[in-house]
């Protein structure tokens, strides 16, 4: 029987006082906590399964409150997320919920979060994001050196980013930025969002990486690519976390590796 395997980890990194990332995998949520050991869950393929990472906006109040609010609502909405319009509506409701919570408590004013994730359906995949957290399609694990010769063709990358970064154009020579052009919440007054939502066919062997920018900012794509060529499941997620820590662990890092088997 085909099934979906999800392996996840969340960690504050080496420079942040606490973790403002949150994660949803089906009905399960992980909010503002630490899991240095990857956790793996398996689900039957059929009903909609949502897997998403929410990254609370740093430098503003209560990022962890905003991110946890969003993933808990996505967990509730999850079984009904059967199409693009349903995903857009759910994200719009999450945005309203963040602003409403901030309006009720002055100390939460301007709190906000990004979100990125997938909904795995029986025959297709829905990809969504608001902000700069990412969804990346990953090729199958195999030879960590990219082939018998130990070299990798320039066109033979494992990674293909499916999410759309809500960031301004980078100046020449810059690889990353902390600036985002839209988020759920994050402003003194309500601001509507335009979620990025797309669909693609689902095939056995599909692997998707859903992560916060605590991984993709410090770790180069080539290193992420090499790790995912060499490893799968818990070992892959653990090695990605180690790479982020080795690169200085400048931010909270949350990783979910989604695999379709069968």
């Amino acid at each position: 029987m085909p099934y979906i395997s999800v392996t996840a980890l969340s960690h504050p990194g080496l420079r942040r006082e606490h973790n403002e990332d949150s994660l949803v995998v089906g009905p399960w949520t992980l909010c503002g906590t630490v899991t240095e050991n990857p956790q793996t869950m398996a689900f039957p393929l059929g009903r909609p399964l949502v897997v998403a990472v929410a990254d609370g906006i740093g430098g503003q109040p209560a990022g962890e409150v905003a991110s946890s609010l969003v993933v808990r609502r996505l967990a509730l909405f999850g079984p009904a997320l059967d199409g693009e319009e349903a995903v857009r509506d759910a994200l719009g409701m999450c945005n309203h919920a963040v602003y409403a919570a901030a309006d009720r408590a002055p100390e939460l004013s301007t709190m906000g979060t990004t979100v990125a994730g997938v909904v795995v359906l029986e025959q297709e995949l829905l990809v969504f994001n608001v902000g700069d957290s990412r969804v990346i399609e990953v090729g199958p694990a195999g030879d960590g050196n990219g082939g018998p010769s130990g070299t990798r063709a320039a066109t033979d990358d494992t990674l293909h980013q499916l999410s759309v970064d809500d960031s301004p154009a980078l100046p020449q020579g810059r690889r990353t930025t902390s600036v985002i052009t839209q988020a759920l919440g994050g402003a003194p007054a309500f601001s509507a969002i335009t979620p990025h939502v797309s669909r693609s066919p689902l095939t056995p062997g599909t692997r998707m990486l859903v992560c916060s920018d605590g991984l993709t900012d410090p770790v180069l794509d080539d290193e992420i690519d090499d790790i995912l060529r060499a490893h799968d499941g818990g070992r892959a997620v653990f090695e990605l976390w180690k790479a982020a820590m080795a690169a200085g662990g400048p931010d909270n890092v949350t990783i979910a590796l989604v695999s379709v088997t069968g």
Side-chain angles (χ1 to χ4, degrees), residues 27-153:
W28 181 81
T29 59
L30 183 69
C31 303
T33 55
V34 180
T35 54
E36 292 185 1
N37 296 314
Q39 309 294 309
T40 300
M41 290 155 282
F43 303 87
L45 185 63
R47 296 182 67 191
L49 178 75
V50 61
V51 180
V53 168
D55 180 355
I57 297 174
Q60 294 180 205
E64 70 281 4
V65 177
S67 67
S68 64
L69 185 156
V70 167
V71 299
R72 286 171 176 152
R73 274 162 176 72
L74 288 176
L76 291 173
F77 296 147
L81 299 179
D82 56 0
E84 293 180 67
E85 198 59 34
V87 173
R88 290 191 180 92
D89 289 346
L91 293 173
M93 286 186 281
C94 287
N95 189 40
H96 277 280
V98 172
Y99 279 106
D103 286 343
R104 291 192 297 268
E107 67 273 17
L108 303 181
S109 177
T110 74
M111 73 173 180
T113 183
T114 69
V115 66
V118 298
V119 180
V120 185
L121 304 176
E122 190 168 9
Q123 296 183 326
E124 65 182 358
L125 190 76
L126 303 175
V127 177
F128 62 88
N129 77 284
V130 177
D132 59 358
S133 293
R134 293 188 180 180
V135 178
I136 301 170
E137 184 178 24
V138 180
D143 179 8
N145 293 321
S149 65
T151 60
R152 178 172 58 206

Side-chain angles (χ1 to χ4, degrees), residues 16-30:
R16 304 293 190 190
E17 292 184 0
H18 60 283
N19 191 358
E20 294 186 306
D21 286 359
S22 296
L23 172 73
V24 55
V25 180
W28 181 81
T29 59
L30 183 69

